[in-house]
Amino acid sequence: MAHEFSPQAGAPALLRNQSLDTDAVRQARIDLAACFRMAARLGLQEGICNHFSALVPGHDDLFLVNPYGWAFAELSASKLLICDFAGHVIAGEGQPEATAFYIHAQLHKALPRATAAFHTHMPNATALAMTEGPPLVWAGQTALKFYGRTAVDEDYNGLALDETEGQRIAATIGEADIVFMKNHGVMVLGPTIAEAFDDLYYLERAAEAQVKAMSLGRPLKPIAPDIAERAYRQMREGDPESARLHLESVKRQLARSEPDFMH
């Protein structure tokens, strides 16, 4: 299902490995690698097909992304690639998966607020993306974290194997942070790596609860819009710090059982 990317020839030599080994870049690599490993542990990935990316600190025209052919559980900080928006690999060995490049380069280019962009086919959220109508019903408290923050891309158009499809996906997002890509999967955008991972985790938990509730064959009980809005605002007040602490917890867990993720 994954596709090899054919890069443009002639990587700009002056950029390669220049000022890309700062403490901030190193920390971004570690944080992103931790997200890959925990996503694998939680079953949020699909083979070698899914992809996370993040802008390189200090370089808004470069992004970190996983290399083609590696499962999330195999990734570490040093294995992540740094690419530019033209398709050159500036640092790292290998190439990004084709759809990873064509989607993520266009997202970061069109939406500078999206420091991190996480795309998965995680099972429960993807199941909701395969149904008619709005994916989330706002019947569970966890789902309210995303109240008013979602968009739906209704127009599945096959694999993203060119820039125009990446541009189309970026254009559907608007101000949303969470995108249900109908017949496909989900995309989570965040101002930080920690916030993107936090949203990815809780989105799948909210979707899992809804899928299980729907399986009971009884009507769901939606929360009144005014209560949903109030609960959403309460949750969002502390979200950046909660997300930071969540990722710190993830890194502590991995440091005990999979310390190679940092290398």
Side-chain angles (χ1 to χ4, degrees), residues 26 29-31 33-34 37 74-80 254-255 258-263:
R26 174 66 179 165
R29 284 181 172 277
I30 291 172
D31 288 352
R37 290 293 185 96
E74 299 179 287
L75 294 173
S76 62
S78 63
K79 285 189 173 71
L80 301 180
L254 292 171
E258 303 175 45
D260 63 309
F261 85 93
M262 293 181 283
H263 305 301

Coordinates of all heavy atoms in Angstrom, one line a residue, residues 26 29-31 33-34 37 74-80 254-255 258-263:
R26 N 17.5 18.6 18.0 CA 17.7 17.3 18.6 C 16.5 16.9 19.5 O 16.0 15.8 19.4 CB 19.0 17.3 19.4 CG 19.2 16.0 20.3 CD 19.5 14.8 19.4 NE 19.7 13.6 20.2 CZ 19.7 12.4 19.7 NH1 19.5 12.2 18.5 NH2 20.0 11.4 20.5
R29 N 13.6 15.9 17.4 CA 13.7 14.5 16.9 C 13.3 13.5 18.0 O 12.6 12.5 17.7 CB 15.2 14.3 16.5 CG 15.6 14.9 15.1 CD 17.1 14.5 14.9 NE 17.5 14.9 13.5 CZ 17.3 14.2 12.4 NH1 16.7 13.0 12.5 NH2 17.7 14.6 11.3
I30 N 13.8 13.7 19.2 CA 13.5 12.8 20.3 C 12.0 12.8 20.5 O 11.4 11.7 20.7 CB 14.3 13.2 21.5 CG1 15.7 12.9 21.3 CG2 13.7 12.4 22.8 CD1 16.6 13.4 22.4
D31 N 11.4 13.9 20.6 CA 9.9 14.0 20.9 C 9.1 13.3 19.8 O 8.2 12.6 20.1 CB 9.5 15.5 21.0 CG 10.0 16.2 22.2 OD1 10.5 15.5 23.1 OD2 9.8 17.4 22.3
A33 N 10.2 11.0 17.7 CA 10.5 9.5 17.8 C 9.6 8.9 18.9 O 9.1 7.8 18.7 CB 11.9 9.3 18.0
A34 N 9.5 9.6 20.0 CA 8.7 9.0 21.1 C 7.2 8.9 20.7 O 6.6 7.9 21.0 CB 8.7 10.0 22.3
R37 N 6.9 5.7 18.6 CA 7.0 4.5 19.4 C 5.7 4.2 20.2 O 5.2 3.1 20.2 CB 8.2 4.5 20.3 CG 9.6 4.5 19.6 CD 9.8 3.1 19.0 NE 11.2 3.0 18.5 CZ 12.2 2.5 19.1 NH1 12.1 2.0 20.3 NH2 13.4 2.5 18.5
E74 N 10.1 0.8 14.8 CA 11.5 0.7 14.5 C 12.2 2.1 14.5 O 13.4 2.2 14.5 CB 11.7 0.1 13.1 CG 11.2 -1.3 12.9 CD 11.4 -1.8 11.5 OE1 10.7 -1.3 10.6 OE2 12.3 -2.6 11.3
L75 N 11.4 3.2 14.6 CA 12.0 4.5 14.4 C 12.7 5.0 15.6 O 12.3 4.7 16.8 CB 10.9 5.5 14.0 CG 10.3 5.2 12.6 CD1 9.2 6.0 12.3 CD2 11.4 5.3 11.5
S76 N 13.7 5.8 15.4 CA 14.5 6.5 16.5 C 14.8 7.9 16.0 O 14.6 8.2 14.8 CB 15.7 5.7 16.8 OG 16.6 5.7 15.7
A77 N 15.3 8.7 16.9 CA 15.5 10.1 16.6 C 16.4 10.3 15.4 O 16.1 11.1 14.5 CB 16.1 10.8 17.8
S78 N 17.5 9.5 15.3 CA 18.4 9.7 14.2 C 17.9 9.2 12.9 O 18.5 9.5 11.8 CB 19.8 9.0 14.6 OG 19.6 7.6 14.7
K79 N 16.9 8.3 12.9 CA 16.4 7.7 11.6 C 15.5 8.7 10.9 O 15.2 8.5 9.7 CB 15.7 6.4 11.9 CG 16.6 5.2 12.2 CD 15.8 3.9 12.2 CE 16.7 2.7 12.3 NZ 17.3 2.6 13.7
L80 N 15.0 9.7 11.6 CA 14.0 10.6 10.9 C 14.7 11.5 9.9 O 15.9 11.9 10.1 CB 13.4 11.5 12.0 CG 12.6 10.7 13.1 CD1 12.0 11.7 14.1 CD2 11.5 9.8 12.5
L254 N 9.0 5.1 27.7 CA 9.9 4.5 26.7 C 11.3 4.4 27.1 O 12.1 3.5 26.7 CB 9.8 5.4 25.4 CG 8.4 5.4 24.7 CD1 8.4 6.4 23.6 CD2 8.1 4.0 24.1
A255 N 11.8 5.4 28.0 CA 13.2 5.4 28.4 C 13.4 4.1 29.3 O 14.6 3.6 29.3 CB 13.4 6.6 29.3
E258 N 12.3 1.1 26.0 CA 12.8 1.2 24.6 C 13.7 2.4 24.5 O 13.5 3.3 23.8 CB 11.6 1.3 23.7 CG 10.6 0.2 23.7 CD 9.4 0.5 22.7 OE1 9.7 0.9 21.6 OE2 8.3 0.3 23.2
P259 N 14.8 2.4 25.3 CA 15.6 3.7 25.4 C 16.3 4.0 24.1 O 16.7 5.1 23.9 CB 16.7 3.3 26.5 CG 16.7 1.8 26.5 CD 15.3 1.4 26.2
D260 N 16.3 3.0 23.1 CA 17.0 3.3 21.8 C 16.2 4.3 21.0 O 16.7 4.9 20.0 CB 17.2 2.1 21.0 CG 15.9 1.4 20.7 OD1 15.0 1.2 21.6 OD2 15.6 1.1 19.5
F261 N 15.0 4.7 21.4 CA 14.2 5.7 20.6 C 14.9 7.0 20.6 O 14.7 7.8 19.7 CB 12.8 5.8 21.2 CG 12.6 6.8 22.3 CD1 12.3 8.1 22.1 CD2 12.8 6.4 23.6 CE1 12.1 9.0 23.1 CE2 12.7 7.3 24.7 CZ 12.3 8.6 24.4
M262 N 15.7 7.3 21.6 CA 16.4 8.6 21.7 C 17.6 8.7 20.8 O 18.1 9.8 20.7 CB 16.8 8.8 23.2 CG 15.6 9.0 24.1 SD 16.1 9.3 25.8 CE 16.6 7.7 26.3
H263 N 18.0 7.6 20.2 CA 19.3 7.6 19.5 C 19.2 7.6 18.0 O 18.1 7.4 17.5 CB 20.1 6.4 20.0 CG 20.3 6.3 21.5 ND1 20.9 7.3 22.2 CD2 19.9 5.4 22.4 CE1 20.9 7.0 23.5 NE2 20.3 5.8 23.6

